Amino acid sequence: MEILTVIIPEVVGKVIEYTIVPAGRQVGYLIHYKRNRQNLRLQLKNLDAAKERLKHTVYEFERKGKGIHDDVQNWSREADEITQEAETFLDDVGQVRTKCVHGICPNLVSYHQLSRKSTKLVKKIELHVKIEFPSVSYNAPAEEIFATPSEDYMAFESRNSMVKKILEELRNPGTNLLGVYGTGGVGKSTLVQEVYRQAKKENLFDDVVIVLDAKQYPEAEKKERIQKKIAEKLDMDVQESQDIEGRAKTLWNRIKDKNIFVILDDVWEAINLEALGLRPMATCKILLTSRDRVSEMRTQKEFRLEVLGMEENWSLFEKIAGDVVKDDSIRKVATKVAKKCGGLPVLVVAVASALRSESTLEVWKDALRRFKSGLANPAYLALEWSYNRLDGEELKPLFLLCGINAGGSC
């Protein structure tokens, strides 16, 4: 009897737990159908408000150049999916209610199913709204402006083939110091920018750093300025109190266990890389560009960048000059003007841009006469002519300033 006294209440409790309680819950779905539906609408408004708050927060961080964590972006996508699911469900509810009004009796099965679905969606929304993030944003590394090629970029076969060869060497564990050389204005900077893009796209390295126009820095400050620029591009805190030797140690400690690629563009003379904190090796590859071979740098692989061939020269000129060269009479003269640019992209772009809006044949003939009659280097004649064609006196000093800074490093 004592055993029955213990067992019977327990059995009754289990019966209630597994039969009466679930049954009551199912009946509750019917009784509270309207309340569950209204609660879903209320929770949907709460979700929309949470989405808007996060949207504003993300917008403020993005304006400051911050990166947004993946879990935050995933939350927003999932919130949109839940919203779509709930709105579709509520539309279906409206259709069922309409059918019930015109029927003989309410569709109790549909009411039960819809009420039950409302409750589940409410719980789903409540759980999603309660999610908190340790942080929303992070300091995203600044992307180089040329990481995306400009619309004016033309992928010539002569340049594409060299980019492929350079990338092949970068994949070679035994090659760690490469050089590209060629006359000023031939397109070295444009070429290594494409190497930079491809190396980033293919994820060949943990970090890819490029320092353009290294020759622009004053000689006394060159090493330090280049070193600081590399450190900044690696998102390192540059300590002004450190000397070049101390900074070199810090830089080396940052990159020694990484797979890194550094491009130094337009180096006119030998640079002591180790003094900067760089050491060419399997995990630290370096690419230099210069007008002439820098033999002291002892590059393992060198590439000479030649001027554009006639076909590529004209293709670039035609693209920059635009529709004006479609006129047969102008086109005949334009091809001769383009040829005078000598296959140097910097000159092709300068001259074609200056003539882009000129639809008068005489202007084109005048340009050709100037190139033919000049005794000086055609490159200087082309630049001088482009300078004289500038509209507005305020543009000419800017043109000269750009020339001083660039020094033919293209």
Side-chain angles (χ1 to χ4, degrees), residues 122-335:
V122 165
K123 291 181 179 178
K124 189 175 183 179
I125 292 174
E126 287 176 338
L127 289 174
H128 201 70
V129 170
K130 287 180 181 178
I131 293 176
E132 296 182 356
F133 309 103
S135 63
V136 173
S137 67
Y138 61 94
N139 292 324
E143 187 178 73
E144 297 284 3
I145 193 170
F146 49 77
T148 302
S150 70
E151 294 181 356
D152 291 334
Y153 175 75
M154 293 189 70
F156 295 118
E157 179 55 34
S158 63
R159 272 51 182 165
N160 281 345
S161 61
M162 185 171 289
V163 169
K164 290 178 182 178
K165 290 176 182 177
I166 292 173
L167 291 172
E168 287 175 7
E169 289 297 332
L170 291 174
R171 296 187 188 96
N172 182 356
T175 305
N176 50 59
L177 186 57
L178 301 87
V180 174
Y181 67 99
T183 187
V186 78
K188 299 184 295 297
S189 296
T190 301
L191 178 84
V192 294
Q193 286 176 22
E194 182 60 20
V195 172
Y196 172 94
R197 284 192 288 267
Q198 292 300 323
K200 295 277 284 186
K201 181 180 179 181
E202 297 181 24
N203 293 317
L204 296 180
F205 302 92
D206 296 325
D207 291 298
V208 181
V209 174
I210 183 169
V211 178
L212 293 174
D213 200 14
K215 72 170 188 320
Q216 68 176 307
Y217 303 124
E219 195 60 38
E221 305 173 13
K222 183 172 292 187
K223 290 180 181 179
E224 185 175 6
R225 295 281 290 274
I226 292 175
Q227 186 187 57
K228 286 182 178 179
K229 185 62 68 175
I230 294 172
E232 289 171 358
K233 288 175 181 286
L234 288 172
D235 294 321
M236 296 174 60
D237 292 329
V238 177
Q239 301 294 331
E240 295 296 336
S241 58
Q242 277 187 320
D243 59 15
I244 191 168
E245 183 178 352
R247 199 177 295 112
K249 293 177 182 178
T250 303
L251 180 58
W252 175 245
N253 286 327
R254 163 69 171 78
I255 68 177
K256 66 178 182 179
D257 297 322
K258 297 285 188 178
N259 188 23
I260 189 169
F261 176 37
V262 178
I263 302 172
L264 299 180
D265 174 54
D266 215 5
V267 177
W268 282 21
E269 58 186 18
I271 294 179
N272 186 341
L273 295 173
E274 290 198 7
L276 299 181
L278 303 174
R279 176 180 292 175
M281 55 191 297
T283 56
C284 182
K285 297 180 183 286
I286 300 171
L287 173 62
L288 310 170
T289 78
S290 181
R291 289 191 177 184
D292 301 300
R293 281 193 180 98
V294 183
S295 57
E296 297 93 333
M297 294 301 298
R298 298 192 299 277
T299 51
Q300 297 166 293
K301 192 71 177 181
E302 294 180 334
F303 301 88
R304 178 174 177 80
L305 189 60
E306 304 288 355
V307 297
L308 296 173
M310 290 185 62
E311 185 176 338
E312 292 179 340
N313 184 82
W314 171 247
S315 294
L316 178 59
F317 190 97
E318 184 180 33
K319 179 179 181 179
I320 301 299
D323 292 341
V324 67
V325 296
K326 291 181 179 179
D327 180 277
D328 290 339
S329 59
I330 289 180
R331 188 180 186 86
K332 186 176 180 180
V333 180
T335 55

Side-chain angles (χ1 to χ4, degrees), residues 39-64:
N39 193 20
L40 175 59
R41 292 186 185 279
L42 175 62
Q43 293 302 324
L44 192 55
K45 288 182 179 178
N46 291 339
L47 180 60
D48 287 339
K51 286 164 57 179
E52 280 300 305
R53 283 196 302 272
L54 185 61
K55 180 180 177 181
H56 295 153
T57 301
V58 168
Y59 175 73
E60 289 300 320
F61 280 125
E62 287 181 335
R63 284 187 61 194
K64 297 175 182 177

